[in-house]
Amino acid sequence: MKTLKKVAALLAAVVMSSALFTGCAKQKASGTIVFGTNAEFPPFEFVSSKGIIDQYDGIDIAVAKQIGDDNNMEVKIENMEFDSLLIALKNGQIDAVIAGMTATDERRESVDFSTTYYVAKQVMIVKEGSDIKKATDMADKKIVVIQGYTGETCVKEMGYKYEAFKKGTEAIMELVNGKCDVVVIDSATAQKYIGDNKGLVIVEDDTAFESEEYAVAVAKGNTEMLNKVNATIEKMLKDGTINELSAKYAESDDAE
Ligand code: ARG
């Protein structure tokens, strides 16, 4: 009888402590990580009624969620203009930027970047039948880019005139409506846009556009956050989760 009681007491203790444990996990006792993004960049981040963190979904949001889970921390997404992200990071308004952001040398001067989790490149989106076959064909064309994206830097460095829009969808509308000839933007996002808009095609030019490495940005010297981010990203690269997410969100993104 005594042993039975002991066993029962032990069982009760185990049940209680595991209940406590789940309680803890739910409350995310170790704090919150605030990620800044610009949810205008499918398949990496977009607004959706099926969002996995609030109304946000995409490859980056899934990675952010995993970073939180791995550290028993809550994750908050701050959606802002792409141009404001690095400023918000420097101001301490956000802990990290996860936004399909290319780790460029210029940006490296002001922030630290994680391990690369995705490799992309700039491509040109044109209307079917366009005579733009390579980057230099854009010389006398109406070019549209997205403000602050690496695509803008590329076109600027080529010395071509262009117009910059705040959102990829606005740029695509210009093209669809015949108000411009070409939109320069990152490859995976371009794929989403041509899937959503009939009559648009992608033109690549590997001699003109170098590959770009996407990474998470943290404030310079914030090794604590950088280590957390890197641990999760490296795990997700190794076990194939990043590949799975890329394939899943390339298929369908439920963007609205
Ligand atoms: N890769 C490009 C860059 O770093 C575009 C990123 C746009 N990301 C976004 N979430 N809007 O400039």
PDB file of all heavy atoms in Angstrom, residues 102-135:
ATOM      1  N   THR A 102      19.330  40.856 -48.692  1.00  0.00           N
ATOM      2  CA  THR A 102      20.634  40.472 -49.220  1.00  0.00           C
ATOM      3  C   THR A 102      21.732  41.051 -48.334  1.00  0.00           C
ATOM      4  O   THR A 102      21.696  42.239 -48.000  1.00  0.00           O
ATOM      5  CB  THR A 102      20.794  41.017 -50.656  1.00  0.00           C
ATOM      6  OG1 THR A 102      19.668  40.584 -51.435  1.00  0.00           O
ATOM      7  CG2 THR A 102      22.086  40.538 -51.298  1.00  0.00           C
ATOM      8  N   ALA A 103      22.679  40.191 -47.966  1.00  0.00           N
ATOM      9  CA  ALA A 103      23.807  40.649 -47.149  1.00  0.00           C
ATOM     10  C   ALA A 103      24.821  41.332 -48.062  1.00  0.00           C
ATOM     11  O   ALA A 103      25.693  40.682 -48.631  1.00  0.00           O
ATOM     12  CB  ALA A 103      24.427  39.461 -46.433  1.00  0.00           C
ATOM     13  N   THR A 104      24.679  42.628 -48.240  1.00  0.00           N
ATOM     14  CA  THR A 104      25.600  43.363 -49.119  1.00  0.00           C
ATOM     15  C   THR A 104      26.743  43.958 -48.283  1.00  0.00           C
ATOM     16  O   THR A 104      26.605  44.145 -47.073  1.00  0.00           O
ATOM     17  CB  THR A 104      24.886  44.531 -49.835  1.00  0.00           C
ATOM     18  OG1 THR A 104      24.445  45.466 -48.846  1.00  0.00           O
ATOM     19  CG2 THR A 104      23.688  44.046 -50.635  1.00  0.00           C
ATOM     20  N   ASP A 105      27.850  44.274 -48.948  1.00  0.00           N
ATOM     21  CA  ASP A 105      28.996  44.873 -48.247  1.00  0.00           C
ATOM     22  C   ASP A 105      28.593  46.193 -47.608  1.00  0.00           C
ATOM     23  O   ASP A 105      29.016  46.512 -46.502  1.00  0.00           O
ATOM     24  CB  ASP A 105      30.155  45.108 -49.230  1.00  0.00           C
ATOM     25  CG  ASP A 105      30.786  43.796 -49.648  1.00  0.00           C
ATOM     26  OD1 ASP A 105      30.550  42.766 -48.961  1.00  0.00           O
ATOM     27  OD2 ASP A 105      31.509  43.778 -50.673  1.00  0.00           O
ATOM     28  N   GLU A 106      27.772  46.950 -48.321  1.00  0.00           N
ATOM     29  CA  GLU A 106      27.348  48.244 -47.799  1.00  0.00           C
ATOM     30  C   GLU A 106      26.549  48.076 -46.498  1.00  0.00           C
ATOM     31  O   GLU A 106      26.780  48.780 -45.520  1.00  0.00           O
ATOM     32  CB  GLU A 106      26.503  48.953 -48.863  1.00  0.00           C
ATOM     33  CG  GLU A 106      26.338  50.429 -48.603  1.00  0.00           C
ATOM     34  CD  GLU A 106      25.280  51.063 -49.487  1.00  0.00           C
ATOM     35  OE1 GLU A 106      24.981  50.508 -50.569  1.00  0.00           O
ATOM     36  OE2 GLU A 106      24.743  52.108 -49.072  1.00  0.00           O
ATOM     37  N   ARG A 107      25.634  47.130 -46.483  1.00  0.00           N
ATOM     38  CA  ARG A 107      24.826  46.895 -45.279  1.00  0.00           C
ATOM     39  C   ARG A 107      25.689  46.324 -44.152  1.00  0.00           C
ATOM     40  O   ARG A 107      25.446  46.606 -42.976  1.00  0.00           O
ATOM     41  CB  ARG A 107      23.660  45.957 -45.598  1.00  0.00           C
ATOM     42  CG  ARG A 107      22.592  46.620 -46.473  1.00  0.00           C
ATOM     43  CD  ARG A 107      21.541  45.627 -46.940  1.00  0.00           C
ATOM     44  NE  ARG A 107      20.541  46.279 -47.796  1.00  0.00           N
ATOM     45  CZ  ARG A 107      19.781  45.627 -48.665  1.00  0.00           C
ATOM     46  NH1 ARG A 107      19.892  44.317 -48.805  1.00  0.00           N
ATOM     47  NH2 ARG A 107      18.897  46.287 -49.394  1.00  0.00           N
ATOM     48  N   ARG A 108      26.686  45.532 -44.527  1.00  0.00           N
ATOM     49  CA  ARG A 108      27.588  44.936 -43.524  1.00  0.00           C
ATOM     50  C   ARG A 108      28.343  45.995 -42.717  1.00  0.00           C
ATOM     51  O   ARG A 108      28.834  45.723 -41.632  1.00  0.00           O
ATOM     52  CB  ARG A 108      28.609  44.015 -44.203  1.00  0.00           C
ATOM     53  CG  ARG A 108      28.135  42.602 -44.355  1.00  0.00           C
ATOM     54  CD  ARG A 108      29.234  41.707 -44.923  1.00  0.00           C
ATOM     55  NE  ARG A 108      28.679  40.542 -45.576  1.00  0.00           N
ATOM     56  CZ  ARG A 108      28.135  39.508 -44.944  1.00  0.00           C
ATOM     57  NH1 ARG A 108      28.108  39.490 -43.625  1.00  0.00           N
ATOM     58  NH2 ARG A 108      27.612  38.496 -45.612  1.00  0.00           N
ATOM     59  N   GLU A 109      28.434  47.184 -43.298  1.00  0.00           N
ATOM     60  CA  GLU A 109      29.115  48.256 -42.568  1.00  0.00           C
ATOM     61  C   GLU A 109      28.323  48.677 -41.346  1.00  0.00           C
ATOM     62  O   GLU A 109      28.881  49.140 -40.361  1.00  0.00           O
ATOM     63  CB  GLU A 109      29.324  49.472 -43.486  1.00  0.00           C
ATOM     64  CG  GLU A 109      30.505  49.275 -44.410  1.00  0.00           C
ATOM     65  CD  GLU A 109      30.620  50.368 -45.455  1.00  0.00           C
ATOM     66  OE1 GLU A 109      30.036  51.464 -45.274  1.00  0.00           O
ATOM     67  OE2 GLU A 109      31.307  50.113 -46.475  1.00  0.00           O
ATOM     68  N   SER A 110      27.000  48.500 -41.387  1.00  0.00           N
ATOM     69  CA  SER A 110      26.206  48.988 -40.253  1.00  0.00           C
ATOM     70  C   SER A 110      25.516  47.902 -39.440  1.00  0.00           C
ATOM     71  O   SER A 110      25.029  48.181 -38.341  1.00  0.00           O
ATOM     72  CB  SER A 110      25.173  50.019 -40.734  1.00  0.00           C
ATOM     73  OG  SER A 110      24.336  49.438 -41.695  1.00  0.00           O
ATOM     74  N   VAL A 111      25.436  46.682 -39.956  1.00  0.00           N
ATOM     75  CA  VAL A 111      24.791  45.599 -39.184  1.00  0.00           C
ATOM     76  C   VAL A 111      25.586  44.301 -39.329  1.00  0.00           C
ATOM     77  O   VAL A 111      26.466  44.203 -40.184  1.00  0.00           O
ATOM     78  CB  VAL A 111      23.332  45.336 -39.665  1.00  0.00           C
ATOM     79  CG1 VAL A 111      22.445  46.535 -39.413  1.00  0.00           C
ATOM     80  CG2 VAL A 111      23.296  44.926 -41.134  1.00  0.00           C
ATOM     81  N   ASP A 112      25.279  43.319 -38.499  1.00  0.00           N
ATOM     82  CA  ASP A 112      25.882  41.990 -38.645  1.00  0.00           C
ATOM     83  C   ASP A 112      24.863  41.055 -39.285  1.00  0.00           C
ATOM     84  O   ASP A 112      23.673  41.140 -38.977  1.00  0.00           O
ATOM     85  CB  ASP A 112      26.293  41.432 -37.266  1.00  0.00           C
ATOM     86  CG  ASP A 112      27.537  42.144 -36.730  1.00  0.00           C
ATOM     87  OD1 ASP A 112      28.267  42.759 -37.542  1.00  0.00           O
ATOM     88  OD2 ASP A 112      27.766  42.087 -35.506  1.00  0.00           O
ATOM     89  N   PHE A 113      25.347  40.171 -40.150  1.00  0.00           N
ATOM     90  CA  PHE A 113      24.460  39.226 -40.832  1.00  0.00           C
ATOM     91  C   PHE A 113      24.692  37.801 -40.357  1.00  0.00           C
ATOM     92  O   PHE A 113      25.819  37.411 -40.038  1.00  0.00           O
ATOM     93  CB  PHE A 113      24.656  39.301 -42.348  1.00  0.00           C
ATOM     94  CG  PHE A 113      23.930  40.443 -43.004  1.00  0.00           C
ATOM     95  CD1 PHE A 113      24.617  41.562 -43.459  1.00  0.00           C
ATOM     96  CD2 PHE A 113      22.548  40.405 -43.164  1.00  0.00           C
ATOM     97  CE1 PHE A 113      23.954  42.619 -44.059  1.00  0.00           C
ATOM     98  CE2 PHE A 113      21.871  41.456 -43.764  1.00  0.00           C
ATOM     99  CZ  PHE A 113      22.567  42.568 -44.210  1.00  0.00           C
ATOM    100  N   SER A 114      23.613  37.039 -40.358  1.00  0.00           N
ATOM    101  CA  SER A 114      23.657  35.622 -39.990  1.00  0.00           C
ATOM    102  C   SER A 114      24.257  34.803 -41.121  1.00  0.00           C
ATOM    103  O   SER A 114      24.615  35.338 -42.174  1.00  0.00           O
ATOM    104  CB  SER A 114      22.232  35.131 -39.741  1.00  0.00           C
ATOM    105  OG  SER A 114      21.533  35.038 -40.976  1.00  0.00           O
ATOM    106  N   THR A 115      24.280  33.499 -40.916  1.00  0.00           N
ATOM    107  CA  THR A 115      24.589  32.542 -41.969  1.00  0.00           C
ATOM    108  C   THR A 115      23.567  32.736 -43.102  1.00  0.00           C
ATOM    109  O   THR A 115      22.394  33.003 -42.829  1.00  0.00           O
ATOM    110  CB  THR A 115      24.420  31.109 -41.401  1.00  0.00           C
ATOM    111  OG1 THR A 115      25.279  30.987 -40.267  1.00  0.00           O
ATOM    112  CG2 THR A 115      24.745  30.045 -42.414  1.00  0.00           C
ATOM    113  N   THR A 116      24.016  32.595 -44.336  1.00  0.00           N
ATOM    114  CA  THR A 116      23.117  32.693 -45.501  1.00  0.00           C
ATOM    115  C   THR A 116      22.096  31.555 -45.468  1.00  0.00           C
ATOM    116  O   THR A 116      22.472  30.416 -45.241  1.00  0.00           O
ATOM    117  CB  THR A 116      23.944  32.554 -46.795  1.00  0.00           C
ATOM    118  OG1 THR A 116      24.912  33.593 -46.815  1.00  0.00           O
ATOM    119  CG2 THR A 116      23.077  32.621 -48.032  1.00  0.00           C
ATOM    120  N   TYR A 117      20.830  31.876 -45.694  1.00  0.00           N
ATOM    121  CA  TYR A 117      19.831  30.798 -45.723  1.00  0.00           C
ATOM    122  C   TYR A 117      19.184  30.613 -47.091  1.00  0.00           C
ATOM    123  O   TYR A 117      18.432  29.663 -47.310  1.00  0.00           O
ATOM    124  CB  TYR A 117      18.764  30.986 -44.637  1.00  0.00           C
ATOM    125  CG  TYR A 117      17.921  32.244 -44.788  1.00  0.00           C
ATOM    126  CD1 TYR A 117      16.749  32.235 -45.536  1.00  0.00           C
ATOM    127  CD2 TYR A 117      18.308  33.424 -44.169  1.00  0.00           C
ATOM    128  CE1 TYR A 117      15.978  33.383 -45.676  1.00  0.00           C
ATOM    129  CE2 TYR A 117      17.554  34.573 -44.300  1.00  0.00           C
ATOM    130  CZ  TYR A 117      16.388  34.540 -45.051  1.00  0.00           C
ATOM    131  OH  TYR A 117      15.636  35.687 -45.187  1.00  0.00           O
ATOM    132  N   TYR A 118      19.470  31.537 -48.029  1.00  0.00           N
ATOM    133  CA  TYR A 118      18.851  31.420 -49.353  1.00  0.00           C
ATOM    134  C   TYR A 118      19.702  32.196 -50.347  1.00  0.00           C
ATOM    135  O   TYR A 118      20.219  33.257 -50.005  1.00  0.00           O
ATOM    136  CB  TYR A 118      17.428  31.996 -49.326  1.00  0.00           C
ATOM    137  CG  TYR A 118      16.597  31.669 -50.548  1.00  0.00           C
ATOM    138  CD1 TYR A 118      15.818  30.527 -50.588  1.00  0.00           C
ATOM    139  CD2 TYR A 118      16.611  32.509 -51.670  1.00  0.00           C
ATOM    140  CE1 TYR A 118      15.067  30.213 -51.723  1.00  0.00           C
ATOM    141  CE2 TYR A 118      15.859  32.204 -52.801  1.00  0.00           C
ATOM    142  CZ  TYR A 118      15.091  31.060 -52.812  1.00  0.00           C
ATOM    143  OH  TYR A 118      14.341  30.748 -53.931  1.00  0.00           O
ATOM    144  N   VAL A 119      19.850  31.661 -51.554  1.00  0.00           N
ATOM    145  CA  VAL A 119      20.605  32.372 -52.584  1.00  0.00           C
ATOM    146  C   VAL A 119      19.662  32.723 -53.735  1.00  0.00           C
ATOM    147  O   VAL A 119      18.925  31.868 -54.236  1.00  0.00           O
ATOM    148  CB  VAL A 119      21.804  31.544 -53.089  1.00  0.00           C
ATOM    149  CG1 VAL A 119      22.558  32.295 -54.191  1.00  0.00           C
ATOM    150  CG2 VAL A 119      22.752  31.221 -51.938  1.00  0.00           C
ATOM    151  N   ALA A 120      19.674  33.992 -54.109  1.00  0.00           N
ATOM    152  CA  ALA A 120      18.777  34.468 -55.169  1.00  0.00           C
ATOM    153  C   ALA A 120      19.588  35.317 -56.148  1.00  0.00           C
ATOM    154  O   ALA A 120      20.812  35.415 -56.022  1.00  0.00           O
ATOM    155  CB  ALA A 120      17.664  35.299 -54.558  1.00  0.00           C
ATOM    156  N   LYS A 121      18.924  35.905 -57.107  1.00  0.00           N
ATOM    157  CA  LYS A 121      19.577  36.870 -57.998  1.00  0.00           C
ATOM    158  C   LYS A 121      18.508  37.795 -58.559  1.00  0.00           C
ATOM    159  O   LYS A 121      17.316  37.494 -58.478  1.00  0.00           O
ATOM    160  CB  LYS A 121      20.324  36.141 -59.115  1.00  0.00           C
ATOM    161  CG  LYS A 121      19.409  35.329 -59.991  1.00  0.00           C
ATOM    162  CD  LYS A 121      20.158  34.569 -61.065  1.00  0.00           C
ATOM    163  CE  LYS A 121      19.174  33.680 -61.799  1.00  0.00           C
ATOM    164  NZ  LYS A 121      19.754  32.645 -62.590  1.00  0.00           N
ATOM    165  N   GLN A 122      18.941  38.901 -59.129  1.00  0.00           N
ATOM    166  CA  GLN A 122      17.991  39.805 -59.769  1.00  0.00           C
ATOM    167  C   GLN A 122      17.611  39.232 -61.131  1.00  0.00           C
ATOM    168  O   GLN A 122      18.444  38.618 -61.807  1.00  0.00           O
ATOM    169  CB  GLN A 122      18.594  41.205 -59.954  1.00  0.00           C
ATOM    170  CG  GLN A 122      18.953  41.899 -58.649  1.00  0.00           C
ATOM    171  CD  GLN A 122      17.753  42.054 -57.731  1.00  0.00           C
ATOM    172  OE1 GLN A 122      16.708  42.552 -58.148  1.00  0.00           O
ATOM    173  NE2 GLN A 122      17.902  41.633 -56.476  1.00  0.00           N
ATOM    174  N   VAL A 123      16.352  39.427 -61.497  1.00  0.00           N
ATOM    175  CA  VAL A 123      15.893  39.036 -62.837  1.00  0.00           C
ATOM    176  C   VAL A 123      15.040  40.180 -63.391  1.00  0.00           C
ATOM    177  O   VAL A 123      14.674  41.104 -62.653  1.00  0.00           O
ATOM    178  CB  VAL A 123      15.049  37.733 -62.807  1.00  0.00           C
ATOM    179  CG1 VAL A 123      15.874  36.553 -62.316  1.00  0.00           C
ATOM    180  CG2 VAL A 123      13.778  37.901 -61.973  1.00  0.00           C
ATOM    181  N   MET A 124      14.739  40.091 -64.667  1.00  0.00           N
ATOM    182  CA  MET A 124      13.891  41.108 -65.293  1.00  0.00           C
ATOM    183  C   MET A 124      12.542  40.476 -65.590  1.00  0.00           C
ATOM    184  O   MET A 124      12.483  39.384 -66.152  1.00  0.00           O
ATOM    185  CB  MET A 124      14.546  41.585 -66.595  1.00  0.00           C
ATOM    186  CG  MET A 124      15.893  42.271 -66.345  1.00  0.00           C
ATOM    187  SD  MET A 124      16.843  42.544 -67.865  1.00  0.00           S
ATOM    188  CE  MET A 124      17.544  40.915 -68.146  1.00  0.00           C
ATOM    189  N   ILE A 125      11.475  41.156 -65.195  1.00  0.00           N
ATOM    190  CA  ILE A 125      10.138  40.695 -65.574  1.00  0.00           C
ATOM    191  C   ILE A 125       9.669  41.595 -66.710  1.00  0.00           C
ATOM    192  O   ILE A 125       9.734  42.829 -66.605  1.00  0.00           O
ATOM    193  CB  ILE A 125       9.126  40.775 -64.401  1.00  0.00           C
ATOM    194  CG1 ILE A 125       9.676  40.088 -63.146  1.00  0.00           C
ATOM    195  CG2 ILE A 125       7.785  40.149 -64.808  1.00  0.00           C
ATOM    196  CD1 ILE A 125       8.728  40.156 -61.957  1.00  0.00           C
ATOM    197  N   VAL A 126       9.249  40.968 -67.796  1.00  0.00           N
ATOM    198  CA  VAL A 126       8.784  41.721 -68.972  1.00  0.00           C
ATOM    199  C   VAL A 126       7.475  41.116 -69.456  1.00  0.00           C
ATOM    200  O   VAL A 126       7.070  40.048 -68.991  1.00  0.00           O
ATOM    201  CB  VAL A 126       9.829  41.678 -70.120  1.00  0.00           C
ATOM    202  CG1 VAL A 126      11.137  42.328 -69.695  1.00  0.00           C
ATOM    203  CG2 VAL A 126      10.065  40.240 -70.588  1.00  0.00           C
ATOM    204  N   LYS A 127       6.839  41.795 -70.398  1.00  0.00           N
ATOM    205  CA  LYS A 127       5.648  41.222 -71.018  1.00  0.00           C
ATOM    206  C   LYS A 127       6.096  40.217 -72.073  1.00  0.00           C
ATOM    207  O   LYS A 127       7.133  40.416 -72.717  1.00  0.00           O
ATOM    208  CB  LYS A 127       4.814  42.325 -71.677  1.00  0.00           C
ATOM    209  CG  LYS A 127       3.880  42.994 -70.703  1.00  0.00           C
ATOM    210  CD  LYS A 127       2.831  43.809 -71.446  1.00  0.00           C
ATOM    211  CE  LYS A 127       1.750  44.243 -70.480  1.00  0.00           C
ATOM    212  NZ  LYS A 127       0.846  45.226 -71.070  1.00  0.00           N
ATOM    213  N   GLU A 128       5.308  39.179 -72.253  1.00  0.00           N
ATOM    214  CA  GLU A 128       5.581  38.200 -73.309  1.00  0.00           C
ATOM    215  C   GLU A 128       5.796  38.931 -74.624  1.00  0.00           C
ATOM    216  O   GLU A 128       5.053  39.874 -74.930  1.00  0.00           O
ATOM    217  CB  GLU A 128       4.366  37.277 -73.476  1.00  0.00           C
ATOM    218  CG  GLU A 128       4.553  35.914 -72.873  1.00  0.00           C
ATOM    219  CD  GLU A 128       3.242  35.158 -72.786  1.00  0.00           C
ATOM    220  OE1 GLU A 128       2.339  35.415 -73.597  1.00  0.00           O
ATOM    221  OE2 GLU A 128       3.133  34.323 -71.853  1.00  0.00           O
ATOM    222  N   GLY A 129       6.818  38.523 -75.388  1.00  0.00           N
ATOM    223  CA  GLY A 129       7.070  39.158 -76.680  1.00  0.00           C
ATOM    224  C   GLY A 129       7.958  40.389 -76.595  1.00  0.00           C
ATOM    225  O   GLY A 129       8.251  41.020 -77.605  1.00  0.00           O
ATOM    226  N   SER A 130       8.390  40.733 -75.386  1.00  0.00           N
ATOM    227  CA  SER A 130       9.271  41.892 -75.213  1.00  0.00           C
ATOM    228  C   SER A 130      10.598  41.650 -75.938  1.00  0.00           C
ATOM    229  O   SER A 130      11.052  40.510 -76.059  1.00  0.00           O
ATOM    230  CB  SER A 130       9.540  42.106 -73.724  1.00  0.00           C
ATOM    231  OG  SER A 130      10.693  42.891 -73.532  1.00  0.00           O
ATOM    232  N   ASP A 131      11.223  42.747 -76.403  1.00  0.00           N
ATOM    233  CA  ASP A 131      12.526  42.554 -77.070  1.00  0.00           C
ATOM    234  C   ASP A 131      13.678  42.670 -76.073  1.00  0.00           C
ATOM    235  O   ASP A 131      14.840  42.721 -76.460  1.00  0.00           O
ATOM    236  CB  ASP A 131      12.680  43.507 -78.264  1.00  0.00           C
ATOM    237  CG  ASP A 131      12.442  44.958 -77.900  1.00  0.00           C
ATOM    238  OD1 ASP A 131      12.264  45.236 -76.679  1.00  0.00           O
ATOM    239  OD2 ASP A 131      12.440  45.813 -78.807  1.00  0.00           O
ATOM    240  N   ILE A 132      13.375  42.708 -74.791  1.00  0.00           N
ATOM    241  CA  ILE A 132      14.445  42.694 -73.770  1.00  0.00           C
ATOM    242  C   ILE A 132      14.891  41.249 -73.560  1.00  0.00           C
ATOM    243  O   ILE A 132      14.130  40.412 -73.082  1.00  0.00           O
ATOM    244  CB  ILE A 132      13.957  43.324 -72.439  1.00  0.00           C
ATOM    245  CG1 ILE A 132      13.572  44.795 -72.668  1.00  0.00           C
ATOM    246  CG2 ILE A 132      15.029  43.189 -71.360  1.00  0.00           C
ATOM    247  CD1 ILE A 132      13.031  45.493 -71.435  1.00  0.00           C
ATOM    248  N   LYS A 133      16.116  40.977 -73.971  1.00  0.00           N
ATOM    249  CA  LYS A 133      16.648  39.607 -73.875  1.00  0.00           C
ATOM    250  C   LYS A 133      17.827  39.534 -72.919  1.00  0.00           C
ATOM    251  O   LYS A 133      18.234  38.462 -72.475  1.00  0.00           O
ATOM    252  CB  LYS A 133      17.111  39.109 -75.253  1.00  0.00           C
ATOM    253  CG  LYS A 133      16.029  39.168 -76.321  1.00  0.00           C
ATOM    254  CD  LYS A 133      14.972  38.076 -76.119  1.00  0.00           C
ATOM    255  CE  LYS A 133      13.854  38.184 -77.141  1.00  0.00           C
ATOM    256  NZ  LYS A 133      12.537  37.857 -76.567  1.00  0.00           N
ATOM    257  N   LYS A 134      18.446  40.674 -72.671  1.00  0.00           N
ATOM    258  CA  LYS A 134      19.571  40.750 -71.736  1.00  0.00           C
ATOM    259  C   LYS A 134      19.553  42.116 -71.055  1.00  0.00           C
ATOM    260  O   LYS A 134      18.839  43.026 -71.513  1.00  0.00           O
ATOM    261  CB  LYS A 134      20.900  40.504 -72.455  1.00  0.00           C
ATOM    262  CG  LYS A 134      21.129  41.345 -73.693  1.00  0.00           C
ATOM    263  CD  LYS A 134      22.413  40.934 -74.408  1.00  0.00           C
ATOM    264  CE  LYS A 134      22.799  41.919 -75.504  1.00  0.00           C
ATOM    265  NZ  LYS A 134      21.746  42.266 -76.450  1.00  0.00           N
ATOM    266  N   ALA A 135      20.335  42.262 -69.986  1.00  0.00           N
ATOM    267  CA  ALA A 135      20.265  43.477 -69.173  1.00  0.00           C
ATOM    268  C   ALA A 135      20.531  44.748 -69.978  1.00  0.00           C
ATOM    269  O   ALA A 135      19.846  45.768 -69.779  1.00  0.00           O
ATOM    270  CB  ALA A 135      21.232  43.374 -67.995  1.00  0.00           C
TER     271      ALA A 135
END
